[in-house]
Amino acid sequence: MLNRLEAQSPDALLALIKLFNADPRPDKIDLGVGVYRTADGATPVFAAIKDAEARLVAEQASKSYLGPEGDMGFVNGLVPHIFGDATPAAGRMDGMQTPGGTGAVRLALALAKAAGATRVLMGTPSWPNHAQILADLDLELVGFSHAASDGSADMAALRSALANAGEGDAVLLHGCCHNPTGVDYTHAEWDEIAQLLSDSPVLPVIDLAYQGLGDGMEEDAYGVRAVTKACSEVLVAYSCDKNFGLYRDRVGAFYAITGDAEATKRAMSNAASLARANWSMPPDHGGAAVRLILEDAAMSAKWQDELASMRARIAEVRAALAAASNAGGVNLEPLGRQKGMFGMLPVSKEQVQRLRDEHGVYMAGSGRINVAGLTLGNIEQFIAALAAVTAEG
Ligand code: LMR
């Protein structure tokens, strides 16, 4: 039976990790997968996480099962950070822990499907795994353009997609730090989106995977809070992979907001059974470390400081790229206005390949770069490589 299977190509983004590691050139530059790097090119474990892990090792009394919802101290501890003054009234919201942000997106979309969704509106380009998850769930992807040619969000495309949608439709929105374009909705645009969604039967699903890496923890929550205030039903997929640096520990959370306590109970009972059939229970360690940080004022302050310095470094790289203004045929100025780790360069697949082969610069085939892979030490080398490849067409 297994002999019938057709080979699948490896995930292009994750394949880049191995290609980069195998490249012996000492001056290679990794702008591929979305992992934060320091000015020395390292991805260290947060000091606050080290403290929390030490406490966990010393104090954890059991590793017995918790249940499909995972560590509810972790899930509830995140609520004020995500929802703030938009936290719904008791009973209207509940959540559960998931294996990473991907598990949360998967659970949100599977629950939307169980509730009758057949189509999902999504701005494109998007994180490639969004489309893979939709295809795997047999949900129809209805694409609309995410970014306009002037570098702002394409609100006209979103308005028109929502105007043409109805019962049985969901819309998948990036809460902040859009992956891959870095083009976020402004606060005024989020207010309009919230209003449009409150007047529509379309179910909002918000993927918030980079909170704190744009303008700040509070600022980056503006969109999710505006939509939560305006709409009676919202699903939120959350990731701690980046803002707590827990990538391989797979730490995520899922929240369902519904019209009333009974509907929330029913939604969560469905989410629990989907989780049980998919992964049974989420991995505990990373979520428990986050919970300890959120419960402790000193560790929380340390974590917030570390996150602030990551944000500042990303902003510094973006400013340096924008100040360089262009590289060959590529205008770098929009990168200075974008948010989070990613931006798209208008380069062809051939140019991406040449950057890798001839200059040791690794980026996604789409032209997406992880700006956190750049440092003030390698930025000139990157700009020169980009200029060489784009000037020759
Ligand atoms: C990325 O887009 O690079 C990250 O979200 C990592 C991943 O899982 O793709």
Side-chain angles (χ1 to χ4, degrees), residues 11 13-14 32-35 102 127-129 179 209-210 242 250 342 368:
D11 184 277
L13 199 54
L14 300 184
V33 75
V35 163
T102 305
W127 180 47
N129 210 18
N179 180 2
Y210 294 86
K242 328 283 167 163
R250 316 304 303 138
F342 304 118
R368 186 193 83 168

Side-chain angles (χ1 to χ4, degrees), residues 357-380:
D357 295 344
E358 297 168 24
H359 301 276
V361 176
Y362 285 71
M363 68 175 75
S366 60
R368 186 193 83 168
I369 59 167
N370 171 14
V371 298
L374 290 169
T375 67
L376 297 186
N378 67 16
I379 212 163
E380 280 181 21

Side-chain angles (χ1 to χ4, degrees), residues 1 7 13 42 69 96 104 135 148 187 197 218 221 234 245 254 259 280 289 342-343 351 353 367 370 378:
M1 193 189 288
L13 199 54
E69 70 280 8
M96 60 194 290
H187 289 187
L197 287 170
E218 289 295 300
V234 189
F254 157 80
S280 188
F342 304 118
Q351 288 167 331
Q353 190 67 45
N370 171 14
N378 67 16

Side-chain angles (χ1 to χ4, degrees), residues 95-282:
M96 60 194 290
Q97 190 181 344
T98 58
T102 305
V105 171
R106 169 96 200 181
L107 188 56
L109 293 171
L111 187 69
K113 180 173 173 167
T118 55
R119 309 193 316 162
V120 176
L121 284 50
M122 184 177 82
T124 60
S126 190
W127 180 47
N129 210 18
H130 281 152
Q132 292 192 159
I133 293 170
L134 291 175
D136 197 49
L137 286 168
D138 214 8
L139 283 162
E140 185 186 343
L141 192 174
V142 181
F144 60 91
S145 142
H146 172 68
S149 53
D150 65 0
S152 62
D154 193 339
M155 285 300 289
L158 174 59
R159 279 184 207 113
S160 147
L162 289 176
N164 289 312
E167 291 289 343
D169 290 338
V171 61
L172 178 56
L173 298 166
H174 297 229
C176 69
C177 305
H178 187 266
N179 180 2
T181 65
V183 175
D184 279 359
Y185 299 116
T186 63
H187 289 187
E189 286 167 348
W190 273 118
D191 289 342
E192 182 186 344
I193 293 166
Q195 186 60 50
L196 290 171
L197 287 170
S198 78
D199 295 339
S200 134
V202 176
L203 175 69
V205 180
I206 302 186
D207 184 2
L208 189 57
Y210 294 86
Q211 190 187 8
L213 290 159
D215 290 328
M217 283 293 289
E218 289 295 300
E219 295 83 342
D220 294 350
Y222 189 90
V224 78
R225 292 179 188 179
V227 173
T228 301
K229 280 179 196 163
C231 299
S232 60
E233 296 186 343
V234 189
L235 300 179
V236 176
Y238 192 80
S239 175
C240 296
D241 291 354
K242 328 283 167 163
N243 60 3
F244 285 85
L246 284 162
Y247 311 94
R248 70 175 73 154
D249 280 344
R250 316 304 303 138
V251 187
F254 157 80
Y255 298 87
I257 293 135
T258 77
D260 60 56
E262 285 310 311
T264 302
K265 273 191 206 138
R266 285 198 305 277
M268 293 313 292
S269 71
N270 278 269
S273 77
L274 287 165
R276 177 66 167 150
N278 273 288
W279 50 76
S280 188
M281 283 161 261

Side-chain angles (χ1 to χ4, degrees), residues 350-359 388-389 392-393:
E350 291 69 34
Q351 288 167 331
V352 169
Q353 190 67 45
R354 286 190 54 209
L355 278 163
R356 187 186 312 171
D357 295 344
E358 297 168 24
H359 301 276
V389 163
E392 292 162 24

